[in-house]
Structures are given as C-alpha cells and as structure tokens.
Amino acid sequence: MKALKERIQKDGRCFPGGILKVDNFINHQMDPILMKSMAVEFVRRFAGTEINKILTVEASGIAPAIMVGYLLELPVVFAKKRKPSTMENMLETEVFSFTKNQTYTICVSKDYIQPEDKVLFIDDFLANGNAGKGIMDLVNQAGAKLVGMGFLIEKAFQSGGNMLREMNIHVESLAIIKSLDNCEIKFKED
Ligand code: 5GP
C-alpha cells in the first residue's frame, strides 16, 4: 500500500536487531486518517471472505482492528496480555515476544470467541509469527474458524509470513519490508 510505504520511509526508524519503530503514526502517536485508509485496504483485500468477528492483541493491534470492525460493522475482541482475576471462562496460550524477548500469556473469554465465529485477526506487525500462532491456538481452543490474518507491516526477513502462508492461512500485509540492513528500509516490490 503506497501511502503506508511512503509514511514508513518518511517517519519509520530502524533499530538494531531488525526492529522498526513507527511510533510517530502507529505505535504511540496515531494517524487516524492513515489508519482508516489501511482499514479500507483490509476490507478490500478480504472482500471475498466471510467474517463475523475481528480479533487482535492488546495494545497496538487495537487501533487498526477497531477501524476494520467499524467499517465492516463487526465486533472487535482483543486478547489480553494479563489474565484478569475476575474473569472466568478464559482461553489462554503462551506467546513469545520478539521485541521484549520474553514469553507471556494471552487470554480471551470463551464468551467472546464462540464455535460459530469466523475470525479475522488484525495486528500491527508480523515478524516471526508468534502472536499469530497464539491466536490460532485460541481460535482452535474455542472451536471457531480463523479465516484470515491482516498485518499493517510484515518483515519478510523474519519467518512468520512464510510459516503462516505454508499453513494455508490467508495472510495480507499492507507493507512488506524486505530488509532493514544498515538501517535502510527496503520494501518488497508489489
Ligand atoms: P511476531 O509475533 O510476529 O513474532 O511479532 C509481532 C509482534 O511483535 C507484533 O504484535 C508487534 O507488537 C511486535 N513487533 C515485532 N517486530 C516489531 C517491530 O519491528 N517493531 C515494532 N514496533 N513491533 C514489532
């Protein structure tokens, strides 16, 4: 998606270890106009897919997910990163965080992912696919169906994109980064 790639070139910052910071428009300050355009693009790309629920992980997936949910007029559920003591009926799974280098538990209430659900997962980044794998596990535990995954930014030099596509998951990424070597942002051609 051209507008996103241009914004990443303009405002994205590279950090050692293949990390891209987009705090200026996605992860800290947010640009709602771009966020809306990205959601419109997801709606276009998943137009042929039957979806009745959007699922994401707190916190950075919530903004794009709610934009997609708003456009499709569908409920948006976010998996929580801390298990609330008051919540029963939780499904949970472990996810390894590449940026924080630690494993954490994500959980979601069985009340909000049900066996009849057709779930679209939306997140900000796809790196090694650990969040995606965790979401697949939660959706499987619920007996629901995962119908696709949409990411704002995919880092193709990490393994998640290949892994998920080899599992026959419909993956859509709006900007695919080929390399961040020498802190130079290079995109995969469309
Ligand atoms: P994965 O689970 O695919 O290995 O990593 C994706 C998750 O890690 C995303 O939810 C995102 O929050 C975080 N992440 C991975 N790589 C980056 C990155 O380069 N920049 C930022 N800001 N977050 C990242």
Side-chain angles (χ1 to χ4, degrees):
M1 185 187 163
K2 191 163 173 273
L4 174 59
K5 291 202 268 190
E6 286 173 358
R7 190 64 183 269
I8 293 170
Q9 280 295 8
K10 181 167 161 274
D11 288 329
R13 300 279 172 268
C14 295
F15 283 78
I19 299 205
L20 177 70
K21 280 226 159 198
V22 286
D23 281 7
N24 170 290
F25 60 105
I26 293 176
N27 286 142
H28 194 11
Q29 175 170 260
M30 289 184 269
D31 179 343
I33 308 295
L34 180 62
M35 206 60 94
K36 182 195 163 204
S37 307
M38 295 190 286
V40 167
E41 181 63 15
F42 279 134
V43 169
R44 191 182 71 78
R45 293 191 188 197
F46 287 105
T49 306
E50 204 186 324
I51 305 163
N52 76 333
K53 198 158 278 184
I54 312 298
L55 180 60
T56 188
V57 183
E58 67 174 345
S60 49
I62 293 177
I66 201 143
M67 283 283 184
V68 175
Y70 176 76
L71 293 177
L72 294 175
E73 300 187 7
L74 293 174
V76 178
V77 179
F78 62 92
K80 293 180 178 249
K81 284 187 173 159
R82 223 170 291 152
K83 193 175 169 180
S85 56
T86 51
M87 212 180 269
E88 290 162 349
N89 263 339
M90 297 301 278
L91 302 167
E92 50 184 87
T93 194
E94 303 267 286
V95 170
F96 177 75
S97 165
F98 159 74
T99 42
K100 300 200 173 75
N101 197 24
Q102 66 182 47
T103 299
Y104 57 95
T105 302
I106 58 168
C107 56
V108 70
S109 166
K110 272 187 206 163
D111 295 346
Y112 302 126
I113 305 285
Q114 305 228 320
E116 63 274 16
D117 284 335
K118 296 179 179 64
V119 176
L120 174 65
F121 174 56
I122 296 287
D123 205 3
D124 57 346
F125 274 88
L126 172 58
N128 290 315
N130 292 308
K133 266 196 310 195
I135 287 295
M136 281 171 66
D137 187 26
L138 292 179
V139 171
N140 284 340
Q141 287 183 48
K145 189 169 178 216
L146 184 76
V147 295
M149 295 191 172
F151 300 93
L152 303 180
I153 303 171
E154 173 177 341
K155 295 186 292 178
F157 56 88
Q158 291 178 283
S159 60
N162 283 344
M163 177 191 72
L164 297 172
R165 289 183 183 97
E166 275 164 18
M167 295 166 102
N168 278 328
I169 294 170
H170 178 183
V171 176
E172 293 287 348
S173 302
L174 304 186
I176 302 184
I177 294 176
K178 196 167 65 178
S179 152
L180 290 175
D181 292 349
N182 306 316
C183 277
E184 204 185 321
I185 304 170
K186 288 201 182 125
F187 293 101
K188 192 176 152 201
E189 298 308 320
D190 288 324

